[in-house]
Amino acid sequence: PFARATVSSVDALIFEGPSRSGDRVVLHARVTACFTDSLELELRVEARGVDSGDGLRRINTGFLTVSAFDDAGDPFAIPALQEPWANSAEMAMHSEAVARRFVRESLQRMFAFRAQPVAYHAELSEQLSITNIYGLLRAAHTDAITWQCLMDVKPGQVVGWSRSPCAARVFFNRDTWGLGLVSFMYRVVCPAPMETVFQAIDGLERRAEWDLVLREGEVVQPIDEHNAIVHEVFEALTSDTPHDYALLRSWRKVDESIVIATRSIVHEDVPVYSGYERGTVLPSGFILCPQADGSGTDVTYTVQIDPATISIPLENIGSLKILMLQTAISLFSQFIPSKPAPEATAVETAQDNEAKSVEFVPAESSKDDKGSDDVTPVPPKQVVLKQMRKALRESLLYSCP
């Protein structure tokens, strides 16, 4: 049987006037909707002064969600309201209650520590954008995530098949927020103003030129100057099926920094397409901060992945960290004078002479880590992809937006 009830949420609480000392307060409540184990109450609070003789005046209005429980503490089933409604006003009252519940649940999903896609609704676009930006900043700066440094590379160190032209670091977390989420982060300083770096990252066509796994991207629906619905497709590295994402992309200036955040959404204009494997992510993206001396821009890229959507070969973490590092190096290389890159055939011939598969040379084991000015040019994107596919052909790699 029903044993107790608790107030689980308060919506649209409006203070219309003061309650004075000595007032008599009257509460009026009516049920607006019944759900499975909770109901919504419309609450109206009135007050009147005993000594003054004034009539009732409204001081508060709002809506309460009350949850019911049985003796064992389990949710108690509440009977639904009877239909049809007595009049159109009651029908409208019930519809508004259902809408408020939808908004409550949507907001909860926005802030939730899980990577389930959030259904996009234009009415909630501002809240979605704010939680998108906030979610990325939270992941990048919180003390609740312990980041394991996988690589700390200095300029000139041998990494994979070339020497790194820059310093870069790659981080990893296997159980983000304690929910089994997998996260990666890389940090690199690009020798260019923040606005220039922003243009290289924000434009999908430009980003596809340097991002090792981004095949293509499309703005499906511009929302405003800071937000858009986008569809991004990423290269398949170990199979013939590329990965794609339906994303809300948001960017803002936060203090002196620029934040570019994306998160998985459900949107009618980006359905699940055949021939692609749909992935989902929590708020992920780039944080750009100008260096104090004006010499460049600190770039932090963070991605939070739900491994339930696509298998991530954590046993092959060595190849994953190389991929993240090479992507950071590729971004850095957009802002330095270009040098002749080795021909793809020459690189592949050298590999075939050494072995049938690529053997990555860890930076920490390099025999020459003094940092030479004569840095090996970064191989072209397609050459890198061929090498990564060869190295990962025995495992399934989840490519990340």
Side-chain angles (χ1 to χ4, degrees):
F2 169 75
R4 62 185 178 87
T6 61
V7 176
S8 55
S9 70
V10 179
D11 280 333
L13 184 60
I14 301 174
F15 293 87
E16 302 182 26
S19 176
R20 302 182 181 91
S21 177
D23 278 353
R24 295 295 183 266
V25 177
V26 181
L27 281 75
H28 303 273
R30 64 174 177 174
V31 176
T32 57
C34 289
F35 306 109
T36 305
D37 53 20
S38 65
L39 56 83
E40 185 191 76
L41 294 175
E42 180 186 25
L43 187 65
R44 188 175 75 254
V45 184
E46 296 177 327
R48 63 182 176 87
V50 176
D51 297 331
S52 65
D54 295 338
L56 289 171
R57 63 185 189 278
R58 185 175 299 183
I59 58 174
N60 299 107
T61 57
F63 297 90
L64 306 180
T65 302
V66 179
S67 298
F69 301 91
D70 60 20
D71 291 331
D74 297 322
F76 180 81
I78 296 178
L81 290 178
Q82 296 298 314
E83 299 183 37
W85 313 113
N87 50 54
S88 59
E90 285 191 0
M91 183 181 297
M93 176 184 67
H94 182 267
S95 298
E96 291 169 0
V98 173
R100 282 188 293 271
R101 186 192 191 203
F102 166 77
V103 172
R104 284 195 303 272
E105 293 178 345
S106 297
L107 289 172
Q108 290 172 355
R109 285 193 294 271
M110 290 181 206
F111 285 99
F113 292 105
R114 57 178 181 267
Q116 295 176 354
V118 175
Y120 176 81
H121 293 273
E123 298 82 359
L124 300 174
S125 60
E126 184 62 26
Q127 291 93 331
L128 280 166
S129 175
I130 292 172
T131 55
N132 200 10
I133 297 292
Y134 166 74
L136 174 57
L137 290 170
R138 176 181 61 182
H141 298 303
T142 183
D143 293 332
I145 299 178
T146 302
W147 291 101
Q148 175 189 358
C149 184
L150 299 180
M151 303 191 78
D152 188 356
V153 176
K154 304 297 188 294
Q157 281 189 296
V158 175
V159 182
W161 46 86
S162 63
R163 294 184 184 276
S164 174
C166 62
R169 291 185 292 170
V170 176
F171 302 87
F172 172 70
N173 182 271
R174 187 183 293 264
D175 188 19
T176 309
W177 310 117
L179 297 177
L181 302 175
V182 174
S183 300
F184 290 90
M185 175 193 292
Y186 68 69
R187 288 177 175 167
V188 65
V189 178
C190 292
M194 183 171 66
E195 289 73 16
T196 302
V197 179
F198 171 72
Q199 293 173 5
I201 294 172
D202 187 57
L204 292 174
E205 290 187 9
R206 174 74 185 279
R207 181 182 167 189
E209 295 175 0
W210 60 264
D211 193 307
L212 296 184
V213 290
L214 177 62
R215 176 185 294 182
E216 59 183 334
E218 174 190 8
V219 176
V220 177
Q221 178 186 319
I223 300 173
D224 53 42
E225 61 177 335
H226 293 108
N227 302 279
I229 307 300
V230 300
H231 178 236
E232 297 181 2
V233 178
F234 287 77
E235 300 284 357
L237 298 180
T238 59
S239 69
D240 296 328
T241 305
H243 312 302
D244 77 330
Y245 301 85
L247 302 167
L248 170 67
R249 186 182 65 188
S250 309
W251 77 270
R252 292 288 191 282
K253 274 199 170 183
V254 180
D255 298 327
E256 299 299 320
S257 304
I258 294 178
V259 181
I260 309 168
T262 58
R263 73 164 301 158
S264 291
I265 60 169
V266 176
H267 194 281
E268 61 182 1
D269 291 336
V270 195
V272 176
Y273 299 105
S274 61
Y276 297 93
E277 191 170 15
R278 178 60 54 93
T280 60
V281 292
L282 243 62
S284 305
F286 298 85
I287 302 173
L288 314 181
C289 303
Q291 291 198 301
D293 59 4
S295 60
T297 303
D298 290 309
V299 178
T300 300
Y301 172 78
T302 307
V303 61
Q304 305 180 84
I305 310 165
D306 180 5
T309 56
I310 300 177
S311 176
I312 303 175
L314 297 180
E315 68 281 357
N316 202 349
I317 196 69
S319 296
L320 293 173
K321 70 181 182 182
I322 291 291
L323 176 63
M324 297 296 292
L325 181 68
Q326 289 291 344
T327 303
I329 292 173
S330 184
L331 172 60
F332 173 90
S333 300
Q334 299 299 300
F335 311 105
I336 60 176
S338 60
K339 296 181 181 181
E343 295 293 334
T345 55
V347 174
E348 293 167 344
T349 300
Q351 291 174 340
D352 291 337
N353 291 338
E354 291 180 5
K356 291 184 178 180
S357 62
V358 176
E359 180 181 357
F360 291 122
V361 181
E364 56 269 23
S365 64
S366 171
K367 294 181 180 179
D368 181 11
D369 58 359
K370 297 180 180 179
S372 171
D373 292 333
D374 186 19
V375 177
T376 304
V378 178
K381 175 177 175 177
Q382 293 305 318
V383 174
V384 176
L385 284 174
K386 287 183 179 180
Q387 294 177 340
M388 289 301 302
R389 287 190 181 103
K390 182 178 288 189
L392 294 166
R393 65 181 182 272
E394 298 298 331
S395 62
L396 177 63
L397 176 64
Y398 176 70
S399 44
C400 314

